Structures are given as C-alpha cells and as structure tokens.
Amino acid sequence: MPTGPCLTLPQNHQQFSLLRHHLLGKTFLTILMSKTKAHLSLCNSQKPWQSQNDYLRQWLPRQESYLHHLLDREAPPEDRRCFICDQDGVYKCQDCLGEPLYCTGCCRSHHCSNPFHWISQWNGQFFERSCLAHVGLILHLGHDGKQCPALTDRCNLFEEDEPEDQLEPEDLPFVSGPEFQPKENTMVIVDKSGVHRLEVRCCDCPNAMSPDIQLFRHGFFPASFNRPKTVFTFGVLNDFLLDNLECGTSAMNYYSKLRRMTSSMFPHLVPDRYRELMRVARQWRQLKIMKWHGFGHRSDTPSTGELALFCPACPQPGINVLLSGDESLDDWKFTRSFVMDGNFKAEHLHPIKPFDEVWLSDGLGFMVGKDRYKMHLEEAADTVEKSSCNNHRAVNQANASRHKLESTGIGGVACARHGCFVPHSMVDFQKGERQMNMDYALCEASQHNMEGITRAVTFYDINCQYNKHLRVRVDQSRFLEMAPELTIIPGIGLWHVHGHQDSCYVRYASNFIEGIGRIDGEIMETLWARLNLISPAARGMSSPHRKECLDYQMNDSNFCKMIRMKRTLCRKYKLARNGIAESGKAFDRLDEAAPAHSKMEWLARERIAQSSRLNDPAAMDEYEINIKKAPSKKEIELRLLEESNARNAAPSRRSVATWISTGLAIEEAQIALLIEVRRAGRRCTETQRLDIARQRDRLQGQIDGFTRSALTHLGEGFDADDEPDDLNIDILDDLDDDPAEFTETSDTWTNSPELTVIPLPSNLGVDRCRRCMAEDLIPLEMSLREGQANDALHNLRIHLCNKAILFRTTVRQAKSQALKTRAWSQVTSVQQAVSLHASIYTKTRKQMMKLEPGQEQLQKYKPLLREQLKISTAVGDPNARGQRNESLAWFWSVEVDLGGPDQSWNEEFYRVHWLRAKALRDRWREELILVKLEMDWTHNFFLWKATQWGDRMQESLDKRLPGHACYSGRQSQMYSLLAQDAQAAFQDVQNVLIEAGDE
C-alpha cells in the first residue's frame, strides 16, 4: 500500500498549475509529481499516441465503405419528401446541413436568409445543378426582407452602368441548362461560395437611401454606384484579403476559383468580374484599415504613417513608456533597435498609364510618400563607395540595371528585437540598394514615436561602409531629418558579419555592443519571406495598388507579431535565464584561473575600447588577438587584382587571380567533404547521406563552372576533357587514425566531386602551362598558395590554443559526468577544426612543390608532422615548471608578432577568451533586464490602446453614433483581453522560473 498524504490528481493543466503555486513543501510537490507521472503513464498505455500514418492505416480497410456512402448521397430518399411541409421534394440544397430536400415554395422561403446556397433539381434520373433564382428567390432591401410597399418598376436601375460580358461564338455551349439561363433583371452577386444571379429590389420609400448605400448596408459592396449590376459580398472580400495574406493568392487566381465553384463544366461562361474584384478589394482594404485605426471616429484625415501598426514591445514615449528626462544613466534601457535590409524580389514593372493612377493611401502606411521621396532622390548625390570588405550583396547591387523595371526592389527598417516593420520607412529601389534609398528609410524610422529617445542601434549588412558618412549625408540634405541628439550605433547581423573582413566581427557584431542584449540582427530576412508571397502578383500592378498591397501585408505582419508578443517575450525570458546561467559558468571558469593584475588591465582596456567605438571602430580590436599575421589569401588576391588593373591586363588575364582563388576554395571544400565522408563511414544515417549528397551537388556545380572558365584563362592548348590523375592528398584527421586508411576509404566513392582534380596550374604542371602559353599563371598561383598556407597555419594556431585553454579550464574543472561529456564534446569540435586546417596546409604545400618554389619558400613552409599537432605544455601553460627546454613547433613563429617579447600565445588567447566570455555574459544580463522592461511596455501598450478605444466609445455615445460606439467597445475589449492575458503569462513564467531556481 502506498504511504503518505492522499492527493487528488489534477485533471487538467490549470489545476496542476494552481496546485504547484500553492504547495509549500517540496515533499508534497514530489509526491504530486510522482503520482501525476504514474497517472499519465497509465493513460498513455491505454491510449497510445498515434502518428498520421497510423490513422491512414486504420482508414484503408474503411476506404471502400466510405466510397459507397459517398455515392449514396447522390440519390434522394425513397419517399423524396420536403423536410418542411412533407410535399414532393424536388430541390436538394448542398450547403444546408444534411443536404435536405425542399419543395419549390419551401426552398424559396427557407433561403431568404441564405441566398447564396447552391441547390440541385431532381430531373427523374439525377440531381441537376440549379440556382435559387429559378425557384423565384428575390432579395428585398429594407422592410425586414419584405417587399417595399412603395416599390415601383425599378428594373432599369440595374441596367447600362456596367458592360456586359462579350463571349465568342465558340465559347457558347451547344446544350442548354438552367445553370446558363439567367433570368432577366438579375444582379451578379459574387460571394465566397461562387458567382450568383439573383433579382434584387431596393426600398423605394420617399426617405430611402440611394441604391448603392442600401446595398452596402446589407453587406454588398457595389461595383458601380449609379445603376450597379454587380456587387461583392463582404464575406467574399474578407475571404480574398485573407487568402491574399496567408497564401499569396492573386485576384486572378481567386476569381478563377470562384468561377470553377460556380460551374465546373463551363467556368468561362460565368460572368468575368476579375477587374471589378481588384478594384473593389482596394476600396474594401482601404475602408478596413481606416476603420481599424479609428479614422471613422475622427474628423481629420490620416497623416504620414498613421494607417500602420507598430511594435508593442519597443519603447514608445507617451504610449507605453513615460520618460522624465532623468534617464541619462539608463538610456541604454530605452534604446531603439533597427534592422535595415533590401528585398530584390519585390520588383515592379513600369506602369502602363502613370498619369491616370489613383492613390488611396500615399505615405499613410509603411511605404513612404512618393513626392517627397522623389525630390530627395533627385537632389541626393549618387555615390557608390568601394567596400574594403568582401563583395557585399548590397554594394554590388548598387549598380544593378533597371531593365524594364520601375523598381528593382524595396528596402526599409524593422525593429531588430521583435521584427515589426517601422511605419513610413519602406522605400523603392531604382538602381539597386543605394545609400540614398536607405538614408531616407532610416531617417523616417528615426522619427516614429522617438521623442526623448537618444540612442539607437542599426543592423545593416554593410554598416562598416554605410555608417561612415551617414551624418554628413543627413546634414547636407534638405529632405533627410534626424534628431542631432540621437546617437546611432552601427552593427552587422551575426550571419552577414562572417562575410566581412575578420576585424568587422568585433567592431560590429552584436555580442560586443553594450546595452542591446542578445540580438542576431537577421530578423528582416524572415519578414521578407511572407512579403514575397504577394511579390509576383504585385509586380505588374499599378504603383498605388502595389504599395497598398505591401502596406496591408506589412500591417498584418505587425498585427500577428503583436498578438503573439506574449509568447515571444516568455520564450525570450526563458532563454535569457538559461543564457545567464550558462554564460556565467563559462566566464567564472576563465575568471578563476586569470591573474588579478591581468584582469584589472583587461577591464581598463575594455572600457577604453567601448567608450571609443563610435569615433574609432578600430578600438574594438581589443577583442581580437593582437597578432601581426602573414598576408592572407584575400589580401594577396586584392593586391594581384589591383596590379592587374593598374597595368591594363588583357581580358583573359584581368580576373585570373580571382579564378585561381576560386579553385583554391574548391580544393578546401573537397578536403572538408572528404573528412566528413570519412567520419560518416559506410554505415551513415539517411540524414548524413542526404547532407553529403547535397554538398556533392553544390561542389560539382562549382567545379563545372570553374572548368568552363579555365578555357578562357589557360588558352587553346587546354583540353577540358583530359583525364587528370586521381586526387591524392594526406588527410590529417583524428590523430590516432591512419591517413592511408582514410585515403583508401575515400577512393571507394567513385566519380565523386571531392575526388576530381581541377585544372589549376599546379595540377597541370609547369611544362604544360608553358605549352598552353599560361606560364604567367604560375607565380600568381604561388602567391595565392602562400596566402592559403598562411591562413591555414593561422587558423591552426588559433584552434590549438583554443584546445589548450579548454583543457586548462573546462576539462580539468568538470566534476559531474554531464559537464565532462560537454567538455569533451567541445574538445572534439576543436580537434576536427585542427584536422581540417592541417589537411588544407598539407595539400597546399604539396601543390606549391609542383610550382618550382624558391629556397626561401622551402625554408618557410616546412612539412607538417602529426606529432607537432599535439598540445604541448609550452602552449597549454607557458609559466609551468619545466618549460625551459620545451620549444614550440616551427609554425608558431611564421611571421608572427605578439606585440612584445614577454607575451605568449597562451596569454594572448586567454585574454581574448576572457573578454569575449565576459561580453557574452554581460549581453545575457542585459537581455533579461530588457525582456522584463518589454513585458511592462507590451502590457502598457495594450492598456493604452484599450483606453484610447474606450474614449472613442464614449465620444460616439455622446454623438449618438451607436455603431461607432459598438465597434469602439469591441476594440477596447480586445486590447483589454490582450493586456490581461499578457500580464498573467508574464507573471506566471517569472514565478515558475523563480521557483525552479529556488529548488
């Protein structure tokens, strides 16, 4: 028999949460958890979880039965009686529940409130498609659906305001049926169930409203306003807009679907109202946006950006945060974070009639107003700065050709922490992503609810170039405005920063920017994915229509972010708590082993670097290893290209340095893939095989392109079809593996791209290069090979020092088995990097030997031995006893200057590890503080919106506008519920994590 207190098991999550919060003793909680687990285990044994395939297997034996029952629905019941009056039933409604039968009178009367159901008529053999117009259904507007007593013959009301559809003779059917015999004086009504023709009669009383308003008040949007012949139900307009948002459905595809729903056999005979749908959808979209933002309750017209929703969690003075002016010490807490990016899929063709366009919301949403933006572009200087970094996408796109495009894409600004588009900050590109475009977007974003905020961080993939002269460009322009007290701190997203020079990482990566918490700076890429759903359909729209669609999509994106902000911040809070714990442990391990006097010096140098970063980004190099490196492959390639341009080289030699550098990169990819194949072995998983197959596919494409280019650079003497020798390199994989065995294992993968020898001069040989008149390529490859060897040795030194520090801190101090496992996992990862760069160097030196190197190169680049890659005590702890006779391997001193004779590799690496670990810990601490503030700001934002709509409700009641008051009340309740839900969730997640920490 079990002992202990008897507890009633919780029946749901809410009861469990309440018990958890109110139980005080750990014993009770332990007993409850054990009983609950036993209860859940019993339930799972009785009702095991089933996959979707399990359900399919269960359905297969039932398939035939389902099919027969589906066919049985085609026949009427045996008595074929009207289910209302019990008379002869001849009509079946496919949209009424159970598909009941009706007589003609009951079918007409029963569908007065459901006029858009589809019916079928029994013809003695089967049910034939029909429509409610054939049972005499008439829609009466006014008088509770009854006929107007003053009704006169208003048939001409619905004539000659819209053109009739013109059908070609071959499109007309040679058979007749009720489906294609619309009655006279009917109106085309487009509903989400299809396209209907019904007779509509308006109220003709003396004080009656105009026909278009009568239709509108009954839920019909007229396509014209004097004598409308076509209307769209509010339901179909809402359905189309939602389809367009979620699925990217174009108006043409949506209306094609409606025509097929109306007639699957002759959809081309259904009235074509595609153009009317596009126009009415624009009008409906505009009405809904103005309604959402309260302009039905205001007498003024919207101004710049007022038809756009912004982020509830970003600080907005006067809305969700009150700034007293004394926040100078804590101004980092109120930092506005921006991410900037361009999207080249949202292009736009030149409009056919730009002089005849109608703008409904120019500059009122997210896209900027056209006139002022156009004047800015005409005045701004079109300067293209050469980037000192690698080839950046945005810099290269700056000279993109216009072709036949009015806009080559769009760019703009979003909040970097939550991914909400900033109102009135999206611009069109004319010739690619130029600085003048992004300047305007950033300046507009910096003015949106920023009163009192003095600090902003911008993430942009080319910020190392873009931010250099930003203030100068702003001050020189009449159309760019940015508060002079606003400090702009430049950053680069963590993904893009790795494509820059090595120094850009510590100068612009978010890990080293104080006061911003944890931001990856790449959230804009996820926002473009949803926007690209409508980009193909918007490409050929008129300029106003396209911008309205983009505004609507961005507004919906922000709305979805808003209603999910509770979940987002709760997730961020959990990550921040875990991040603080993990980063704190990692830093403490390094901090305990660091000398006190060194830490004081490192902190002082860190302070200087952080305080100087705005004026001198190079000050952040304090976070880098202070090593004067030998020239890298990139630096040598750049020098060779500049020399080639300076002497006006022939076209076949103009880009030859880049071609050779590409070949060297392909060889490195081959080595990396070979190592991965070796580690995977013959019994690899399906996921591993798929990953290797994808890598081989990419690598083969690179090799094919490289080989085609070889014909240009190697001359007519080169034959791309020649069979070179098999690739034969020494792979220095795990230190206890045999390289020969590795090569044998790799040779089993026949015809694989990682075994292909590419046509580099070193592979062709010096003699053959001379025969091809390509002898001048030999010194070029030798220079680039030296840079490749320098890079490999530099990376090798870095990873060996990382391994030494891991042994000195993490491995030695790990006490529990879990910590030991994690430590050895880190060591294994570093060891794999050591193997990769050692293999690259070995391959590089082997190729250099084929190029007839000089004596100086032979002396400098020596063979790499396996025993030299082991961690010696001279690297691991240079101050340990017995180091007098311990020497480092030759590659530790290849053109290396540590800045002083007393410094060692280990000390320098330890300093950088310590500073970076501290920066990571500090960012996580800031993240927790910011997330707590954002929880408060989100709650305040919802309360502010609820109060705003509550005030509008009271004003509407005072003005005797009941409809306005009802809508205001509904909106106020929505934001009140969002506020209550967010506050409860925020309190719950904090309490749960606090209790978990206490336990």
Side-chain angles (χ1 to χ4, degrees):
M1 294 294 291
T3 60
C6 295
L7 296 176
T8 302
L9 290 175
Q11 299 301 313
N12 52 47
H13 175 75
Q14 184 177 8
Q15 294 181 13
F16 180 83
S17 179
L18 289 172
L19 281 171
R20 184 179 184 186
H21 284 299
H22 289 89
L23 286 175
L24 300 177
K26 292 185 179 180
T27 303
F28 285 88
L29 185 58
T30 304
I31 295 173
L32 177 63
M33 290 292 292
S34 63
K35 285 180 174 283
T36 303
K37 288 180 180 178
H39 179 64
L40 293 176
S41 177
L42 179 62
C43 292
N44 288 336
S45 64
Q46 295 173 349
K47 296 181 180 180
W49 177 84
Q50 298 186 61
S51 68
Q52 301 304 313
N53 287 333
D54 291 331
Y55 289 114
L56 286 174
R57 295 185 188 98
Q58 294 173 17
W59 179 75
L60 280 175
R62 298 173 170 84
Q63 176 178 296
E64 187 175 354
S65 174
Y66 275 54
L67 180 59
H68 286 306
H69 285 292
L70 181 63
L71 290 170
D72 285 344
R73 289 167 55 88
E74 295 287 329
E78 292 183 1
D79 55 357
R80 220 183 73 233
R81 295 292 181 181
C82 172
F83 97 110
I84 294 178
C85 68
D86 211 30
Q87 299 295 318
D88 184 32
V90 293
Y91 290 100
K92 179 176 72 172
C93 180
Q94 293 143 354
D95 295 318
C96 287
L97 182 62
E99 296 189 347
L101 290 182
Y102 298 95
C103 64
T104 302
C106 291
C107 186
R108 179 174 58 248
S109 61
H110 189 73
H111 284 91
C112 287
S113 56
N114 295 298
F116 309 123
H117 283 192
W118 287 111
I119 62 173
S120 300
Q121 184 178 8
W122 180 251
N123 63 5
Q125 293 180 325
F126 56 87
F127 282 104
E128 187 177 10
R129 187 69 178 268
S130 183
C131 65
L132 289 171
H134 294 108
V135 298
L137 180 64
I138 300 175
L139 296 182
H140 294 280
L141 306 183
H143 303 282
D144 298 325
K146 298 177 182 178
Q147 180 173 332
C148 175
L151 185 65
T152 58
D153 187 7
R154 300 281 301 271
C155 295
N156 291 332
L157 172 67
F158 305 117
E159 292 180 0
E160 298 180 359
D161 192 36
E162 300 172 26
E164 285 285 353
D165 294 332
Q166 299 296 321
L167 296 176
E168 298 295 333
E170 60 269 18
D171 289 333
L172 294 173
F174 289 95
V175 295
S176 62
E179 187 176 1
F180 309 113
Q181 296 176 358
K183 296 180 64 176
E184 296 293 332
N185 304 325
T186 58
M187 179 177 288
V188 175
I189 304 177
V190 183
D191 182 61
K192 60 183 179 181
S193 61
V195 181
H196 303 262
R197 281 190 177 271
L198 290 172
E199 185 174 351
V200 180
R201 296 182 180 178
C202 297
C203 175
D204 202 28
C205 294
N207 60 347
M209 301 176 182
S210 61
D212 62 312
I213 297 298
Q214 290 189 48
L215 289 166
F216 191 82
R217 289 182 67 88
H218 279 78
F220 302 117
F221 202 117
S224 58
F225 312 106
N226 295 323
R227 294 173 178 173
K229 293 176 62 179
T230 300
V231 296
F232 295 85
T233 65
F234 291 179
V236 74
L237 296 175
N238 286 330
D239 190 64
F240 166 63
L241 293 185
L242 189 58
D243 254 23
N244 183 250
L245 286 174
E246 290 293 335
C247 311
T249 308
S250 66
M252 177 177 290
N253 290 340
Y254 185 82
Y255 196 77
S256 176
K257 180 190 76 170
L258 294 180
R259 297 178 87 177
R260 294 185 62 181
M261 292 172 64
T262 305
S263 174
S264 59
M265 195 164 38
F266 299 107
H268 60 282
L269 297 180
V270 178
D272 184 6
R273 298 296 183 266
Y274 155 64
R275 294 186 178 277
E276 287 81 357
L277 173 63
M278 280 201 303
R279 171 171 49 81
V280 172
R282 285 185 64 188
Q283 298 166 254
W284 183 245
R285 185 187 293 118
Q286 181 72 4
L287 287 177
K288 289 178 72 72
I289 290 178
M290 295 189 69
K291 177 184 175 184
W292 290 339
H293 291 89
F295 282 94
H297 299 70
R298 297 166 54 177
S299 57
D300 57 334
T301 56
S303 59
T304 299
E306 285 194 335
L307 294 186
L309 190 66
F310 188 45
C311 179
C314 283
Q316 300 183 62
I319 295 178
N320 58 3
V321 62
L322 295 176
L323 297 181
S324 60
D326 300 329
E327 294 83 5
S328 56
L329 296 179
D330 292 333
D331 61 342
W332 67 270
K333 296 181 180 178
F334 305 97
T335 300
R336 184 72 70 82
S337 60
F338 295 129
V339 57
M340 306 163 60
D341 195 23
N343 178 4
F344 293 97
K345 291 187 177 180
E347 57 188 22
H348 184 229
L349 298 173
H350 282 288
I352 299 175
K353 297 180 179 179
F355 55 88
D356 192 33
E357 294 179 329
V358 179
W359 294 79
L360 301 182
S361 59
D362 179 29
L364 305 182
F366 295 90
M367 301 298 295
V368 299
K370 58 182 176 62
D371 294 333
R372 183 179 175 86
Y373 180 51
K374 183 179 180 181
M375 289 188 289
H376 161 70
L377 295 178
E378 291 173 351
E379 179 185 87
D382 187 7
T383 58
V384 180
E385 297 185 15
K386 282 192 175 182
S387 173
S388 59
C389 287
N390 299 338
N391 294 329
H392 298 141
R393 173 185 56 78
V395 172
N396 293 338
Q397 284 283 353
N399 292 319
S401 176
R402 293 185 60 169
H403 300 291
K404 297 180 179 180
L405 300 176
E406 181 197 41
S407 171
T408 59
I410 63 172
V413 185
C415 70
R417 288 189 58 82
H418 316 103
C420 291
F421 292 103
V422 181
H424 202 255
S425 67
M426 306 301 294
V427 297
D428 273 317
F429 296 149
Q430 294 73 40
K431 296 181 180 179
E433 191 172 341
R434 297 180 292 175
Q435 288 183 348
M436 63 172 69
N437 304 122
M438 301 308 292
D439 288 345
Y440 196 88
L442 179 58
C443 288
E444 292 300 311
S446 68
Q447 298 179 63
H448 184 76
N449 296 343
M450 290 275 287
E451 298 82 0
I453 294 179
T454 60
R455 190 174 185 265
V457 178
T458 61
F459 290 92
Y460 191 23
D461 53 5
I462 57 168
N463 239 342
C464 53
Q465 298 295 324
Y466 171 79
N467 193 71
K468 284 182 178 178
H469 308 294
L470 173 62
R471 277 292 180 181
V472 175
R473 297 194 300 271
V474 171
D475 294 339
Q476 292 177 349
S477 174
R478 292 185 301 142
F479 302 101
L480 298 179
E481 298 179 7
M482 183 180 291
E485 66 274 9
L486 182 64
T487 300
I488 299 292
I489 303 173
I492 299 177
L494 292 180
W495 186 84
H496 283 99
V497 77
H498 292 294
H500 290 240
Q501 288 182 347
D502 294 338
S503 59
C504 285
Y505 177 71
V506 295
R507 296 179 187 180
Y508 299 102
S510 59
N511 286 352
F512 308 105
I513 302 177
E514 290 186 332
I516 65 167
R518 290 284 292 167
I519 303 178
D520 62 10
E522 303 291 350
I523 200 169
M524 200 80 165
E525 301 289 343
T526 64
L527 303 180
W528 293 141
R530 284 199 62 184
L531 210 61
N532 290 339
L533 283 175
I534 64 168
S535 294
R539 189 173 186 265
M541 291 179 178
S542 67
S543 298
H545 190 188
R546 167 179 171 266
K547 291 189 176 182
E548 291 160 19
C549 289
L550 293 175
D551 278 342
Y552 195 70
Q553 191 80 16
M554 287 185 276
N555 200 69
D556 182 72
S557 174
N558 281 10
F559 178 80
C560 292
K561 294 280 186 181
M562 180 190 75
I563 60 177
R564 297 167 186 162
M565 192 60 67
K566 171 199 73 173
R567 183 172 58 182
T568 299
L569 294 181
C570 288
R571 177 179 53 83
K572 283 182 170 241
Y573 184 84
K574 295 176 183 177
L575 290 175
R577 289 290 297 263
N578 293 334
I580 288 176
E582 294 294 328
S583 63
K585 291 177 183 178
F587 175 72
D588 290 342
R589 285 194 296 267
L590 292 169
D591 191 59
E592 291 172 0
H597 68 278
S598 297
K599 290 190 288 186
M600 293 180 62
E601 178 188 353
W602 298 342
L603 283 172
R605 292 165 64 178
E606 180 192 40
R607 285 290 92 219
I608 295 173
Q610 289 289 350
S611 60
S612 306
R613 71 172 303 143
L614 284 178
N615 299 323
D616 181 19
M620 294 300 293
D621 292 348
E622 190 64 37
Y623 289 89
E624 277 285 13
I625 300 168
N626 185 18
I627 297 173
K628 181 182 178 181
K629 299 186 296 183
S632 67
K633 181 163 68 76
K634 292 179 182 178
E635 293 171 344
I636 293 175
E637 179 187 351
L638 180 61
R639 173 175 60 80
L640 294 175
L641 288 173
E642 291 173 348
E643 292 174 356
S644 175
N645 293 331
R647 64 172 181 268
N648 294 322
S652 62
R653 293 293 184 266
R654 193 165 296 159
S655 59
V656 68
T658 298
W659 175 73
I660 296 176
S661 179
T662 302
L664 270 56
I666 290 175
E667 282 188 348
E668 294 179 6
Q670 288 178 310
I671 295 171
L673 184 53
L674 275 169
I675 293 177
E676 185 168 346
V677 170
R678 166 67 179 86
R679 294 198 184 104
R682 295 181 181 273
R683 296 183 179 181
C684 55
T685 65
E686 187 179 43
T687 301
Q688 289 175 315
R689 290 199 303 271
L690 177 61
D691 183 55
I692 290 173
R694 287 173 175 172
Q695 292 186 56
R696 282 178 169 159
D697 185 63
R698 288 194 298 267
L699 185 58
Q700 187 62 58
Q702 295 170 2
I703 292 174
D704 293 343
F706 181 83
T707 305
R708 286 193 297 268
S709 301
L711 298 173
T712 301
H713 300 295
L714 295 176
E716 298 179 356
F718 169 70
D719 185 358
D721 295 328
D722 284 354
E723 290 290 339
D725 296 333
D726 289 338
L727 184 65
N728 183 19
I729 62 173
D730 292 329
I731 302 295
L732 296 173
D733 193 22
D734 297 335
L735 297 183
D736 54 353
D737 286 343
D738 183 9
E741 181 184 351
F742 183 23
T743 306
E744 291 175 2
T745 306
S746 299
D747 286 341
T748 60
W749 299 80
T750 57
N751 300 323
S752 296
E754 66 268 26
L755 300 178
T756 303
V757 178
I758 59 177
L760 282 166
S762 57
N763 288 325
L764 299 176
V766 175
D767 293 338
R768 188 174 177 185
C769 286
R770 289 169 180 163
R771 292 196 302 269
C772 295
M773 305 298 291
E775 187 177 3
D776 56 326
L777 270 60
I778 295 175
L780 295 180
E781 183 180 350
M782 178 62 80
S783 297
L784 290 168
R785 288 287 183 184
E786 289 189 58
Q788 186 182 32
N790 294 336
D791 290 342
L793 292 176
H794 176 72
N795 291 324
L796 192 62
R797 291 188 291 260
I798 289 177
H799 291 298
L800 286 174
C801 279
N802 285 341
K803 187 176 179 181
I805 292 174
L806 281 173
F807 272 110
R808 183 177 172 185
T809 57
T810 307
V811 176
R812 291 181 182 177
Q813 298 176 11
K815 297 179 181 179
S816 67
Q817 186 60 40
L819 291 177
K820 289 180 180 179
T821 303
R822 185 181 303 174
W824 279 108
S825 175
Q826 295 175 357
V827 171
T828 301
S829 177
V830 173
Q831 178 58 44
Q832 291 173 356
V834 169
S835 300
L836 172 63
H837 294 294
S839 300
I840 291 174
Y841 173 79
T842 300
K843 170 65 177 177
T844 301
R845 186 181 183 278
K846 182 177 180 179
Q847 297 301 105
M848 292 172 69
M849 295 304 105
K850 298 178 181 179
L851 297 172
E852 299 181 353
Q855 189 61 34
E856 180 183 353
Q857 292 161 325
L858 289 172
Q859 184 65 27
K860 181 178 178 181
Y861 299 103
K862 301 176 182 178
L864 192 62
L865 305 178
R866 183 174 295 272
E867 56 268 18
Q868 293 172 335
L869 301 181
K870 295 181 179 180
I871 298 296
S872 67
T873 52
V875 176
D877 189 356
N879 298 319
R881 296 178 60 184
Q883 297 307 307
R884 182 174 300 177
N885 298 321
E886 184 78 23
S887 60
L888 292 171
W890 61 270
F891 58 81
W892 290 94
S893 56
V894 176
E895 294 190 23
V896 170
D897 182 9
L898 286 168
D902 297 330
Q903 284 190 295
S904 69
W905 270 92
N906 180 261
E907 291 175 350
E908 181 66 8
F909 272 80
Y910 205 96
R911 179 187 67 83
V912 171
H913 270 270
W914 187 88
L915 284 174
R916 293 192 177 191
K918 179 180 179 297
L920 182 60
R921 182 204 63 177
D922 292 345
R923 298 298 85 75
W924 278 119
R925 289 180 173 178
E926 295 164 358
E927 177 73 6
L928 186 63
I929 295 172
L930 290 175
V931 171
K932 288 181 178 179
L933 289 172
E934 288 168 350
M935 288 178 171
D936 292 337
W937 295 339
T938 300
H939 180 245
N940 293 342
F941 177 86
F942 292 148
L943 291 180
W944 179 79
K945 294 289 284 186
T947 302
Q948 184 185 55
W949 280 106
D951 294 340
R952 289 171 180 165
M953 180 179 68
Q954 188 58 49
E955 293 174 4
S956 300
L957 290 173
D958 295 340
K959 295 178 181 179
R960 301 183 182 277
L961 298 172
H964 294 61
C966 290
Y967 180 73
S968 301
R970 182 154 58 90
Q971 290 294 98
S972 180
Q973 184 196 40
M974 180 187 77
Y975 284 107
S976 295
L977 292 175
L978 286 173
Q980 295 170 21
D981 184 48
Q983 186 179 39
F986 297 156
Q987 291 177 351
D988 183 71
V989 71
Q990 294 182 51
N991 291 337
V992 169
L993 291 179
I994 289 174
E995 291 178 5
D998 293 341
E999 295 173 4

